[in-house]
Short mmCIF file of all heavy atoms in Angstrom, two decimals:
data_model
loop_
_atom_site.label_atom_id
_atom_site.label_comp_id
_atom_site.label_asym_id
_atom_site.label_seq_id
_atom_site.Cartn_x
_atom_site.Cartn_y
_atom_site.Cartn_z
N LEU A 257 -5.70 7.76 2.69
CA LEU A 257 -6.36 8.38 1.53
C LEU A 257 -5.37 8.76 0.43
O LEU A 257 -5.56 8.39 -0.73
CB LEU A 257 -7.21 9.58 1.96
CG LEU A 257 -7.94 10.29 0.82
CD1 LEU A 257 -8.97 9.38 0.18
CD2 LEU A 257 -8.60 11.57 1.30
N PRO A 258 -4.28 9.47 0.76
CA PRO A 258 -3.32 9.80 -0.31
C PRO A 258 -2.77 8.55 -0.98
O PRO A 258 -2.50 8.57 -2.19
CB PRO A 258 -2.21 10.56 0.42
CG PRO A 258 -2.82 11.04 1.69
CD PRO A 258 -3.90 10.07 2.05
N ALA A 259 -2.61 7.47 -0.23
CA ALA A 259 -2.07 6.24 -0.83
C ALA A 259 -3.05 5.70 -1.87
O ALA A 259 -2.64 5.27 -2.96
CB ALA A 259 -1.83 5.19 0.25
N LEU A 260 -4.34 5.76 -1.58
CA LEU A 260 -5.35 5.24 -2.51
C LEU A 260 -5.50 6.17 -3.72
O LEU A 260 -6.04 5.79 -4.75
CB LEU A 260 -6.69 5.06 -1.81
CG LEU A 260 -6.67 4.05 -0.65
CD1 LEU A 260 -8.02 4.00 0.05
CD2 LEU A 260 -6.28 2.66 -1.14
N ARG A 261 -5.04 7.41 -3.55
CA ARG A 261 -5.10 8.38 -4.65
C ARG A 261 -3.72 8.56 -5.29
O ARG A 261 -3.42 9.61 -5.82
CB ARG A 261 -5.65 9.72 -4.14
CG ARG A 261 -7.14 9.62 -3.82
CD ARG A 261 -7.59 10.68 -2.83
NE ARG A 261 -7.39 12.02 -3.28
CZ ARG A 261 -8.32 12.82 -3.80
NH1 ARG A 261 -9.55 12.36 -3.93
NH2 ARG A 261 -8.05 14.04 -4.15
N ARG A 262 -2.92 7.50 -5.22
CA ARG A 262 -1.59 7.43 -5.83
C ARG A 262 -0.67 8.55 -5.33
O ARG A 262 0.18 9.06 -6.06
CB ARG A 262 -1.66 7.55 -7.36
CG ARG A 262 -2.61 6.59 -8.01
CD ARG A 262 -2.76 6.94 -9.49
NE ARG A 262 -4.05 6.49 -10.00
CZ ARG A 262 -4.30 5.26 -10.37
NH1 ARG A 262 -3.38 4.35 -10.31
NH2 ARG A 262 -5.50 4.93 -10.82
N GLY A 263 -0.88 8.96 -4.10
CA GLY A 263 -0.09 10.07 -3.56
C GLY A 263 1.19 9.61 -2.90
O GLY A 263 1.64 8.47 -3.08
N ARG A 264 1.71 10.51 -2.06
CA ARG A 264 3.05 10.30 -1.52
C ARG A 264 3.16 9.09 -0.59
O ARG A 264 4.25 8.57 -0.39
CB ARG A 264 3.51 11.57 -0.79
CG ARG A 264 2.61 11.95 0.37
CD ARG A 264 2.85 13.36 0.88
NE ARG A 264 2.14 13.58 2.14
CZ ARG A 264 0.83 13.77 2.22
NH1 ARG A 264 0.09 13.77 1.14
NH2 ARG A 264 0.26 13.95 3.41
N THR A 265 2.06 8.63 -0.01
CA THR A 265 2.16 7.51 0.94
C THR A 265 1.96 6.15 0.28
O THR A 265 2.05 5.12 0.95
CB THR A 265 1.13 7.68 2.08
OG1 THR A 265 -0.14 7.95 1.48
CG2 THR A 265 1.51 8.78 3.04
N ALA A 266 1.70 6.15 -1.03
CA ALA A 266 1.45 4.88 -1.73
C ALA A 266 2.67 3.96 -1.64
O ALA A 266 2.54 2.75 -1.41
CB ALA A 266 1.07 5.14 -3.18
N ALA A 267 3.86 4.54 -1.81
CA ALA A 267 5.08 3.73 -1.79
C ALA A 267 5.29 3.11 -0.41
O ALA A 267 5.71 1.95 -0.29
CB ALA A 267 6.27 4.60 -2.18
N LEU A 268 4.95 3.86 0.61
CA LEU A 268 5.09 3.37 1.99
C LEU A 268 4.18 2.14 2.21
O LEU A 268 4.60 1.12 2.76
CB LEU A 268 4.71 4.49 2.97
CG LEU A 268 4.64 4.11 4.44
CD1 LEU A 268 6.04 3.85 4.98
CD2 LEU A 268 3.95 5.21 5.25
N LEU A 269 2.95 2.27 1.75
CA LEU A 269 1.98 1.17 1.92
C LEU A 269 2.43 -0.07 1.15
O LEU A 269 2.36 -1.20 1.65
CB LEU A 269 0.61 1.63 1.39
CG LEU A 269 -0.59 1.30 2.25
CD1 LEU A 269 -0.44 1.90 3.63
CD2 LEU A 269 -1.86 1.78 1.59
N ALA A 270 2.92 0.16 -0.08
CA ALA A 270 3.39 -0.96 -0.91
C ALA A 270 4.56 -1.66 -0.23
O ALA A 270 4.63 -2.90 -0.19
CB ALA A 270 3.81 -0.45 -2.29
N LEU A 271 5.45 -0.87 0.36
CA LEU A 271 6.61 -1.45 1.06
C LEU A 271 6.14 -2.29 2.25
O LEU A 271 6.60 -3.42 2.46
CB LEU A 271 7.53 -0.32 1.52
CG LEU A 271 8.81 -0.75 2.22
CD1 LEU A 271 9.76 -1.40 1.20
CD2 LEU A 271 9.51 0.45 2.87
N MET A 272 5.20 -1.75 3.00
CA MET A 272 4.68 -2.49 4.17
C MET A 272 4.06 -3.81 3.76
O MET A 272 4.28 -4.85 4.38
CB MET A 272 3.62 -1.64 4.90
CG MET A 272 4.19 -0.54 5.77
SD MET A 272 2.88 0.53 6.39
CE MET A 272 1.99 -0.58 7.47
N ALA A 273 3.28 -3.77 2.67
CA ALA A 273 2.59 -5.00 2.22
C ALA A 273 3.60 -6.04 1.74
O ALA A 273 3.49 -7.22 2.05
CB ALA A 273 1.60 -4.64 1.12
N ARG A 274 4.60 -5.59 0.98
CA ARG A 274 5.62 -6.53 0.47
C ARG A 274 6.42 -7.13 1.62
O ARG A 274 6.74 -8.32 1.64
CB ARG A 274 6.56 -5.82 -0.52
CG ARG A 274 5.91 -5.64 -1.87
CD ARG A 274 6.88 -5.08 -2.91
NE ARG A 274 6.15 -4.79 -4.13
CZ ARG A 274 5.82 -5.69 -5.04
NH1 ARG A 274 6.18 -6.94 -4.90
NH2 ARG A 274 5.13 -5.34 -6.12
N ARG A 275 6.77 -6.32 2.59
CA ARG A 275 7.54 -6.80 3.74
C ARG A 275 6.74 -7.82 4.54
O ARG A 275 7.28 -8.81 5.02
CB ARG A 275 7.90 -5.63 4.66
CG ARG A 275 9.05 -4.86 4.13
CD ARG A 275 9.76 -4.18 5.28
NE ARG A 275 10.97 -3.58 4.79
CZ ARG A 275 11.59 -2.59 5.39
NH1 ARG A 275 11.10 -2.09 6.50
NH2 ARG A 275 12.69 -2.10 4.90
#
Side-chain angles (χ1 to χ4, degrees):
L257 180 65
L260 298 176
R261 289 158 60 101
R262 308 171 206 280
R264 61 194 191 285
T265 49
L268 173 71
L269 224 58
L271 182 70
M272 282 172 67
R274 282 187 187 279
R275 282 206 172 157

